[in-house]
């Protein structure tokens, strides 16, 4: 009886074609994977594996405590200094995941007197942080800076305002105009918080995201779980902001420090990413080719301009059915359904990686057009 809400919820999800299940990646090299965020292939790169092992052998596999207790190792500080140098900020601060950073940094920055104004399509972790901060949360239409400005103008002069958005959107695969956002933030004395989870390793100066090399962005947030190949999150900011977060951010204070093998893997990824200019160029070319091919087959890829290409469909049942058909053909493209995207929308989210060849892309286009046409 006490768990009836659970069975009702699961049943409803199933009827709407929205039941989520954990699928294990089918093993065997015969699958062409278009769903992984391991875009540069770093998750299995020998240098990351080697450095993760070295750090484990030298420091153990766990940090043992919060960094404020006895879990702060020299490699944590060194890694943060290296990250700050690469992004072009004074300082940086590591988190155990990108989700943890978003969910807890906003809590530290805002209170019930603040206003957080976030892009409508922001990641759930940003909303988590915004809502738990008790601030007033407002949303502007996706990329609509006029709408953002209208919302900024509505606020009292002395209200603390925080603009939050992503540089590359995780599902839309489109990009923000960082300089225009910064100009608005400056003009309205708002803090600017940009999530680069999908931009790290993929774009910008030294491959470190669209905010790299642009000074004056208050919080440049990112993560190592996507193209950087392992896991963890970060915030790049001023020394003062870092000190503030060490004192006020629950995700730093109440969480065990980043584990040594992960720090090793991150360190190696930061060594490799700036050197991957050729791979990034190829990736962009491949993504452009794929978008054009899909559009010529009548597919709706929205405003994607990156390696993330959503294929928008009307019905979540369609997304699931096409995804299952593709899997039978040896192609993995997972469906994204409500509530991750608004009700009434669904997509197949394609993520191009450096390991995809032209033949792989052609194979995807062929399998997709067959699956969409009911074969
Ligand atoms: C994946 C993602 C996160 C969460 O990062 P993890 O390190 O996987 O927890 C945060 N923001 C955006 C935009 C993301 O795509």
């Amino acid at each position: 009886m006490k768990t009836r809400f659970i069975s009702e919820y699961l049943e409803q999800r199933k009827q709407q074609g929205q039941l989520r299940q954990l699928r294990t990646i089918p093993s065997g090299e015969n699958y062409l994977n278009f769903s992984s965020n391991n875009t540069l292939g770093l998750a299995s790169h020998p240098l990351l594996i080697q450095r993760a092992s070295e750090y484990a052998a030298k420091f153990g596999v766990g940090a043992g405590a919060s960094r404020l207790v006895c879990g702060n190792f020299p490699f944590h500080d060194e890694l943060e200094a290296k990250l700050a140098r690469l992004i072009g900020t004074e300082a940086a601060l590591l988190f155990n995941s990108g989700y943890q950073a978003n969910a807890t940094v906003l809590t530290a920055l805002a209170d019930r007197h603040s206003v957080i104004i976030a892009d409508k399509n922001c990641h759930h972790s940003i909303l988590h942080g915004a809502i738990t901060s008790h601030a007033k949360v407002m949303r502007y239409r996706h990329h609509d800076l006029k709408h953002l400005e209208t919302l900024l103008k509505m606020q009292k002069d002395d209200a603390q305002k925080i603009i939050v958005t992503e540089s590359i959107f995780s599902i839309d695969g489109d990009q923000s105009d960082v300089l225009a956002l910064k100009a608005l933030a400056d003009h309205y004395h708002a803090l600017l918080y940009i999530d680069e989870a999908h931009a790290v390793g993929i774009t910008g100066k030294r491959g470190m995201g669209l905010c790299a090399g642009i000074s004056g962005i208050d919080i440049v947030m990112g993560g190592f779980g996507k193209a950087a190949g392992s896991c963890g999150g970060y915030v790049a900011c001023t020394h003062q902001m870092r000190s503030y977060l060490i004192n006020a951010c629950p995700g730093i204070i109440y969480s065990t420090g980043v584990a040594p093998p992960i720090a090793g893997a991150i360190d190696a990824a930061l060594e490799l990413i700036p050197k991957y200019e050729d791979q990034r160029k190829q990736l962009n070319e491949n993504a452009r080719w794929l978008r054009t091919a899909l559009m010529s087959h009548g597919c709706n890829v929205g405003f994607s301009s990156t390696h993330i290409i959503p294929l928008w469909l009307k019905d979540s049942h369609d997304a699931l059915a096409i995804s299952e058909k593709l899997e039978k053909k040896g192609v993995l493209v997972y469906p994204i359904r409500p509530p991750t995207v608004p009700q009434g929308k669904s997509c197949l989210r394609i993520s191009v990686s450096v390991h995809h060849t032209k033949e792989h892309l052609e194979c995807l286009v062929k399998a997709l057009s067959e699956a969409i046409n009911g074969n």
Side-chain angles (χ1 to χ4, degrees):
M1 219 31 206
K2 67 183 178 186
T3 56
R4 198 172 71 197
F5 74 98
I6 295 176
S7 52
E8 284 174 1
Y9 176 90
L10 291 173
E11 189 48 42
Q12 193 192 3
R13 274 292 177 95
K14 203 165 170 179
Q15 281 172 13
Q16 292 167 339
Q18 292 172 5
L19 183 68
R20 297 168 197 236
Q21 274 167 316
L22 295 174
R23 282 157 69 182
T24 337
I25 321 173
S27 57
E29 318 71 71
N30 298 336
Y31 277 96
L32 248 181
N33 190 346
F34 282 98
S35 283
S36 175
N37 294 317
N38 178 23
T39 314
L40 301 176
L42 294 184
S44 54
H45 193 287
L47 192 66
L48 272 76
I49 295 172
Q50 185 199 340
R51 199 152 308 161
S53 314
E54 277 169 22
Y55 273 48
K58 212 162 154 189
F59 306 106
V61 291
S66 160
R67 288 174 70 191
L68 284 160
V69 181
C70 60
N72 191 41
F73 289 70
F75 63 74
H76 286 127
D77 297 312
E78 284 157 20
L79 200 47
E80 288 169 342
K82 186 171 181 173
L83 188 55
R85 247 191 338 270
L86 284 169
I87 298 174
T89 52
E90 285 177 13
L93 193 56
L94 292 169
F95 288 79
N96 279 304
S97 76
Y99 194 103
Q100 186 167 320
N102 280 338
T104 65
V105 170
L106 282 167
T107 312
L109 291 176
D111 62 20
R112 63 194 175 84
H113 303 294
S114 320
V115 188
I116 294 175
I117 312 180
D119 186 286
K120 192 91 174 88
N121 290 11
C122 274
H123 194 261
H124 184 82
S125 53
I126 291 173
L127 289 187
H128 186 142
I131 290 164
T132 50
S133 75
H134 302 294
K136 180 160 95 180
V137 181
M138 303 181 93
R139 317 286 295 276
Y140 62 95
R141 285 187 295 272
H142 186 46
H143 288 314
D144 186 343
L145 299 192
K146 287 244 154 57
H147 189 205
L148 169 60
E149 184 161 19
T150 308
L151 297 179
L152 284 164
K153 270 187 188 149
M154 281 164 52
Q155 310 310 320
K156 289 196 205 88
D157 280 347
D158 60 347
Q160 190 211 27
K161 298 173 277 285
I162 308 177
I163 300 170
V164 192
T165 191
E166 296 173 27
S167 61
I168 292 183
F169 276 80
S170 58
I171 291 170
D172 302 276
D174 53 4
Q175 301 175 66
S176 287
D177 183 344
V178 172
L179 289 175
L181 283 159
K182 184 170 176 309
L184 265 184
D186 287 346
H187 189 261
Y188 290 92
H189 306 292
L191 286 171
L192 181 58
Y193 184 124
I194 299 188
D195 177 333
E196 299 241 60
H198 279 285
V200 181
I202 303 297
T203 187
K205 208 169 176 182
R206 295 181 278 266
M208 290 306 294
L210 289 177
C211 301
I214 299 177
S215 60
I217 298 170
D218 301 286
I219 299 276
V220 179
M221 175 272 165
F224 304 108
K226 311 259 160 78
S230 60
C231 69
Y234 67 80
V235 155
C237 54
T238 60
H239 287 302
Q240 189 191 45
M241 179 69 84
R242 181 175 183 272
S243 302
Y244 176 72
L245 293 175
I246 288 169
N247 282 276
C249 180
I252 293 294
I253 304 167
Y254 303 107
S255 187
T256 303
V258 168
I262 297 304
I266 295 171
D267 186 60
L270 292 180
E271 202 172 302
L272 294 173
I273 284 172
K275 299 179 185 160
Y276 271 41
E277 285 303 333
D278 290 344
Q279 286 91 330
R280 279 188 281 276
K281 210 166 141 229
Q282 187 62 48
L283 182 70
N284 276 328
E285 277 169 26
N286 283 354
R288 192 177 312 125
W289 184 91
L290 183 60
R291 283 194 301 272
T292 312
L294 290 171
M295 286 190 286
S296 75
H297 278 77
C299 295
N300 173 10
V301 300
F303 294 98
S304 163
S305 60
T306 65
H307 66 295
I308 299 170
I309 308 174
L311 219 151
W312 292 103
L313 301 160
K314 287 197 191 69
D315 195 309
S316 29
H317 293 282
D318 289 350
L320 190 59
I322 294 171
S323 168
E324 282 169 358
K325 275 186 201 151
L326 288 173
E327 186 173 332
K328 290 204 183 85
K329 295 171 190 285
V331 177
L332 298 180
V333 185
Y334 284 71
I336 310 282
R337 295 167 285 169
T340 305
V341 289
Q343 290 296 335
K345 283 178 99 179
S346 273
C347 74
L348 292 164
R349 180 182 176 279
I350 298 165
S351 183
V352 184
S353 90
V354 292
H355 292 309
H356 294 136
T357 61
K358 191 72 176 292
E359 289 70 41
H360 292 148
L361 302 180
E362 282 165 353
C363 178
L364 169 68
V365 174
K366 180 166 172 285
L368 258 172
S369 72
E370 286 170 3
I372 290 171
N373 293 316
N375 299 304

